[in-house]
Amino acid sequence: MTITADHGYDDLPRLMSLMTGDEKHDFAATSTLDVLWVLYDRVLDVTPERAGAPDRDRFLLSKGHGPMAYYAVLAAKGFVPEEWLPGFGSYDSPLGHHPDRVLVPGAEIGSGSLGHGLPLAVGSALGLRAQGLGGPAVWVLIGDAELDEGSNHEAIAYAGAAGLDRLHTVVVDNASASHALPGGIAARFEAANWSTATVDGRDHAALYEAFTAPHPGRPHAVVARVEPKNAR
């Protein structure tokens, strides 16, 4: 098994093309590609060598039903070997249709039901605070449709009230939610004392600026708008 980490963004389509088979959920995957790349390339303080370090940043993929982009980025950054990618979704592959944290190096959670990633991220941020670890950031990527789930709204309300300023949520908005939020997605977070930014989810410079914006005393949410799912 060989692992290299010399891939750039332009190589991600090739890495994703190695993953074939049924139930690829490729639209769900490609909607997250740019967000994932900017986070792992320019924002997250985590490397394959430090994947278990207590002071690492944590990234939680809640939108786990389309993990191809996630696996491609992990391969590009040296967390998993490229030769794993063609086996995606097969019986004996560690790269399942949902990431498994005990099988995929660098994965923090096993993604399952929509709506559980943000509550887990809140718990992670609370745990770090309880340990006196004020440096590591916690990031969670959710889809806009996950905001149909009540568990997320409980997590949003709690995190804002608790002032979890090391918590960051990225909402990839491809207009697939069933229930509209009055005032839009960002307004829901703002009402619960979150800092927010809404940007083009394909614009790397805008994503980086939004991801690194200061938000003292408050958790931070970035709404990354991409092309509507039903428009493809």
Side-chain angles (χ1 to χ4, degrees):
M1 180 177 71
T2 58
I3 297 180
T4 59
D6 56 356
H7 302 282
Y9 175 78
D10 291 341
D11 200 32
L12 294 179
R14 182 189 67 82
L15 293 173
M16 289 184 67
S17 73
L18 298 176
M19 290 174 274
T20 60
D22 296 333
E23 298 187 32
K24 290 196 304 181
H25 287 287
D26 49 348
F27 290 164
T30 55
S31 70
T32 68
L33 184 62
D34 297 276
V35 164
L36 287 165
W37 178 256
V38 174
L39 283 173
Y40 273 91
D41 191 53
R42 303 176 62 186
V43 178
L44 293 173
D45 182 12
V46 63
T47 63
E49 296 75 24
R50 298 186 62 252
D55 61 345
R56 73 189 183 280
D57 286 347
R58 274 76 167 165
F59 173 78
L60 283 62
L61 181 67
S62 186
K63 189 181 170 73
H65 60 286
M68 290 195 307
Y70 183 49
Y71 294 152
V73 170
L74 289 179
K77 291 300 179 181
F79 287 86
V80 302
E82 181 179 327
E83 53 260 39
W84 281 10
L85 300 180
F88 164 67
S90 62
Y91 175 76
D92 58 351
S93 172
L95 305 182
H97 291 131
H98 287 74
D100 186 329
R101 72 178 185 87
V102 303
L103 298 177
V104 181
E108 296 283 353
I109 62 171
S111 301
S113 300
L114 293 179
H116 84 303
L118 180 52
L120 287 174
V122 169
S124 296
L126 283 171
L128 290 169
R129 176 185 283 185
Q131 296 174 72
L133 295 172
V138 177
W139 289 81
V140 57
L141 189 158
I142 71 174
D144 63 307
E146 293 191 67
L147 293 172
D148 291 342
E149 305 293 336
S151 56
N152 272 326
H153 295 277
E154 293 180 9
I156 291 169
Y158 183 88
L164 296 179
D165 57 1
R166 301 307 293 158
L167 175 64
H168 309 75
T169 299
V170 185
V171 185
V172 174
D173 179 12
N174 65 356
S176 60
S178 298
H179 308 296
L181 295 173
I185 293 173
R188 172 65 189 92
F189 286 87
E190 290 167 1
N193 193 40
W194 286 61
S195 166
T196 68
T198 300
V199 297
D200 180 348
R202 302 302 187 189
D203 186 329
H204 291 196
L207 287 167
Y208 178 75
E209 182 178 0
F211 292 161
T212 58
H215 51 95
R218 296 193 289 168
H220 186 50
V222 176
V223 181
R225 290 177 171 168
V226 297
E227 54 278 7
K229 177 180 179 180
N230 294 330
R232 301 189 183 204

